[in-house]
Every structure is written in structure tokens, then in C-alpha cells.
Amino acid sequence: MSWTDERVESLKKLWQDGLSASQIAKQLGGVTRNAVIGKVHRLGLSGRAAPSKPARPAFKAPRPQRPAATAPSAPRRIAEPVAAEAVQTPAPTRYVDEEPGSATVLTLGAHMCKWPIGDPSSDGFTFCGRRASEGPYCVEHAKVAYQPAQAKKRSGGSDLARSLRRYI
């Protein structure tokens, strides 16, 4: 496909009308959207009349109608008051018998130790399940998981000289 003078004039007019490159390519026929963009760039066409907009209308779902008020002068209630007896407190988290290794994925609660015990691919895999103090582990497993940083030993001059030899 070659750009004839007629096609270039048509391209300029459609571009100034605000059509998109793909819309222009469809109208000209035998040319791709990228070819239109390239030709517009080479011609130096920059200004457009208006940005192109999709031809399809935006769909808005119809709003449900409001029920008609029977007595406009009557005050409306926001919510029914709840009786104290009707309020149910959630059951406290049931800790497994403080025996490590007795909790499963299904029985783990928010404040239970999540230290894995055993091989995850085996059927006997469990979690510790004891009461967790702060964080995900019980006191015993927290001591194992969070080791204090070891203090560095003071190295003498011979260690420094030995480490510098590899750079000399």
C-alpha cells in the first residue's frame, strides 16, 4: 500500500476531525493503525480538534425506586435497641491442652504458638499450640526463634594484616 496524495489529504482531514488512528485505518482501508500513526508523525500533524471518544454509550444501571413514605411527619428509627441479654460474647480462643504439638491448621487460634512440629508433608504434622506471649510463638519457642546478636570478638593487628594481604 502506498500513500497517494488523495489518501494523505483524507488522512489529514480525518485526523483534524479527531478520529483515532484505528478509526482512520478502518476508513482508509488496507492500512494499519501503526501505519497511520507513523504517517501522522512524519507529516508533523499534532493539533487535533477534539479527542476521540468511544462510539458506545456508557451503560448506567437503573436505580431502584425508593419506597414511598407512608407518614412523612413521623420520625424514622435508625436501628432497634439491642437488649443486654441478646448480646452474645464470642467464645474465648480454646488453647490446646498446653501440650506442644497438639494443634493443627484448623485448630490454631490468634494467640496460639505457631511453631511447626514435624514434616509438613507427613500426616503427623502439627503446631505447638501453647499460649503465645508476644508474637507468633510461645516463650520457649520465641527463645529459639529470636537469638540475641553475638558480640564480635576484638581482632588484633595480625587479623587485620592477614585480611589486607589478599588486596595487596
Side-chain angles (χ1 to χ4, degrees):
M1 187 332 277
S2 63
W3 287 100
T4 62
D5 290 337
E6 298 164 359
R7 289 174 72 89
V8 170
E9 291 304 317
S10 176
L11 168 69
K12 287 180 182 179
K13 181 186 177 312
L14 294 171
W15 185 259
Q16 290 299 323
D17 289 343
L19 271 69
S20 69
S22 57
Q23 291 170 336
I24 295 171
K26 284 180 186 176
Q27 285 196 6
L28 291 177
V31 66
T32 64
R33 171 186 165 271
N34 286 339
V36 171
I37 292 171
K39 190 64 174 177
V40 165
H41 180 70
R42 287 189 298 277
L43 292 172
L45 302 177
S46 60
R48 293 169 66 102
S52 62
K53 295 191 178 175
R56 61 181 178 194
F59 175 75
K60 289 188 177 181
R63 296 175 106 188
Q65 291 186 353
R66 289 180 154 181
T70 56
S73 61
R76 293 191 296 167
R77 281 189 164 175
I78 304 298
E80 292 291 325
V82 179
E85 297 87 28
V87 175
Q88 294 180 357
T89 58
T93 305
R94 189 185 72 128
Y95 294 97
V96 183
D97 304 325
E98 297 293 326
E99 288 292 322
S102 55
T104 64
V105 173
L106 299 175
T107 61
L108 269 180
H111 299 286
M112 294 173 73
C113 179
K114 294 164 183 68
W115 186 267
I117 298 175
D119 182 17
S121 62
S122 70
D123 291 335
F125 178 70
T126 58
F127 293 92
C128 173
R130 287 187 280 190
R131 185 178 307 264
S133 57
E134 290 183 17
Y137 305 124
C138 64
V139 175
E140 179 184 324
H141 288 125
K143 288 178 184 176
V144 176
Y146 306 114
Q147 295 279 326
Q150 299 292 327
K152 289 186 177 180
K153 63 177 184 175
R154 289 243 161 175
S155 61
S158 62
D159 292 336
L160 178 61
R162 188 173 352 150
S163 64
L164 290 176
R165 277 189 212 133
R166 69 180 122 170
Y167 297 110
I168 298 175

